[in-house]
Amino acid sequence: MSRRYDCSEPMERTRGIADAVSAVRRGELVVLPTDTVYGVGADAFTPAAVQALLDAKGRGRDMPPPVLVGSVRAATALVEDLGTYGQDLIDEFWPGALTLVCRANPNLMWDLGETKGTVAVRMPMHELAVEVLKETGPLAVSSANLSGEPAARNADEAEKMLGDSISVYLDGGRSGHADPSTIIDLTGSVPRLLRLGAIPEDKIRAVVGVLLTDEDEPAAPPEPAELTASASGAGETKPSLTKHTAAEAAHAPAEPASAPAEPASAPAEPADAPSGSADAPSVPGGSADAPQAPPESADAPSVPPEAANAPDVPPEAADAPGTPQEEAGLVAGAAETTDPDKSKPEQAAPNVPEEAADAPKAAEAGPAAPAKPNDDQ
């Protein structure tokens, strides 16, 4: 059996707030007025209560409710990061009809539904609602109506639709205005307008400067595509340069290869130095056949020291063979860095953006898109 309190009467107001706070702590549902429309609230940290809220509205977990708070401090405890513009928006529009979607604090033990790691928070500009919220703590609050029906503007409309599924109705008269709150996504690097409501777009832009909207979606994808195509084209030219360099390197050893052949004839000159060496073989490299020469020429191969050192090749020849090896090493390194098969994954890595992400990259990459609170709060 639900209970209803006329909060225009001081005594009824006090009793109603106390009863509503007790009901929330027991995991029950309450209806209260806000500066936008009437809302149905449940303890945000009691999963069974949040599920009861969704059941009362006929809504699934894919439409998680936003969270109302009684202070800015309570809101910052619920989120991981307000981003670059969150605090400025809070300073300008809170309390008020602005809902901010942020990355939820991962340390909190709660279950609001399929939020994709985000939370939509708002501090309403309504004295009765804030007084309740300061006593109960953060409440999961959705518009007080059945899913698909117009949001309730007074307690009578809310009670007609929700009936006994609500424990306490706080009647604070007609709600502030018919427009729901404006919803801004701060999970990416650039704020994004998720729903236009009571606060106009130009006032949001005056604070954040740049604000993405649904109209920006078709124009955004071409930029990364062009960059990727450009990077891909640049990657295709590099292998041709590598192949050309490799071809040159392949022919490079041919020049120094002939250098060692010149010293091969060196033994021919000292072969005439010893007496009686006329009969000694004059063929280059004859030192290898020296044991078959006449006894008097047997010492010929040992006479010229330059001949003994001939196989070592002059310094320039010795350095020449090293050049193609160095070139081959450089080419190999270039081939590794410019291999199209290896470079493509690196080109695909850049992301967009959670506001990047939190987004629009922009936000961004990034993370899955935040669940948009399909709600009139």
Side-chain angles (χ1 to χ4, degrees), residues 96-341:
L98 178 66
T99 298
L100 300 178
V101 178
C102 306
R103 293 288 174 192
N105 185 336
N107 298 320
L108 296 178
M109 303 299 293
W110 61 358
D111 183 7
L112 299 175
E114 297 175 7
T115 63
K116 300 180 181 178
T118 65
V119 60
V121 293
R122 183 170 86 87
M123 181 179 177
M125 186 183 286
H126 194 284
E127 185 180 353
L128 178 59
V130 170
E131 191 172 347
V132 172
L133 289 165
K134 286 183 176 180
E135 292 291 331
T136 62
L139 291 181
V141 179
S142 181
S143 54
N145 62 292
L146 294 176
S147 186
E149 297 293 328
R153 297 291 311 282
N154 54 54
D156 289 336
E157 294 176 0
E159 189 170 13
K160 183 178 180 180
M161 286 186 280
L162 300 174
D164 289 339
S165 63
I166 307 300
S167 296
V168 176
Y169 287 88
L170 297 179
D171 185 357
R174 193 165 182 81
S175 61
H177 49 76
D179 294 332
S181 65
T182 295
I183 302 178
I184 303 296
D185 175 16
L186 297 180
T187 60
S189 59
V190 180
R192 177 178 293 276
L193 178 65
L194 296 183
R195 183 181 72 185
L196 185 60
I199 299 178
E201 182 178 334
D202 59 339
K203 289 189 176 182
I204 301 295
R205 289 185 184 276
V207 176
V208 300
V210 180
L211 180 65
L212 297 179
T213 63
D214 291 340
E215 287 72 20
D216 298 319
E217 288 293 345
E223 272 190 358
E226 289 172 5
L227 292 175
T228 304
S230 174
S232 177
E236 291 173 359
T237 58
K238 290 182 179 180
S240 63
L241 293 175
T242 304
K243 290 178 182 178
H244 181 68
T245 306
E248 291 179 350
H251 294 295
E255 295 179 6
S258 60
E262 295 178 2
S265 60
E269 296 179 6
D272 297 332
S275 60
S277 60
D279 296 331
S282 61
V283 180
S287 57
D289 300 328
Q292 298 177 2
E296 58 275 19
S297 63
D299 297 331
S302 63
V303 173
E306 60 273 20
N309 296 329
D312 292 339
V313 188
E316 60 272 16
D319 294 337
T323 302
Q325 293 177 358
E326 294 174 359
E327 291 179 359
L330 292 175
V331 170
E336 290 178 3
T337 58
T338 59
D339 188 341
D341 294 334

Side-chain angles (χ1 to χ4, degrees), residues 26-38:
R26 293 193 300 268
E28 299 170 0
L29 305 181
V30 299
V31 162
L32 68 164
T34 75
D35 51 343
T36 56
V37 296
Y38 269 70

Side-chain angles (χ1 to χ4, degrees), residues 350-364:
N351 296 329
V352 183
E354 139 351 354
E355 175 243 345
D358 36 271
K361 265 51 326 147
E364 346 287 44

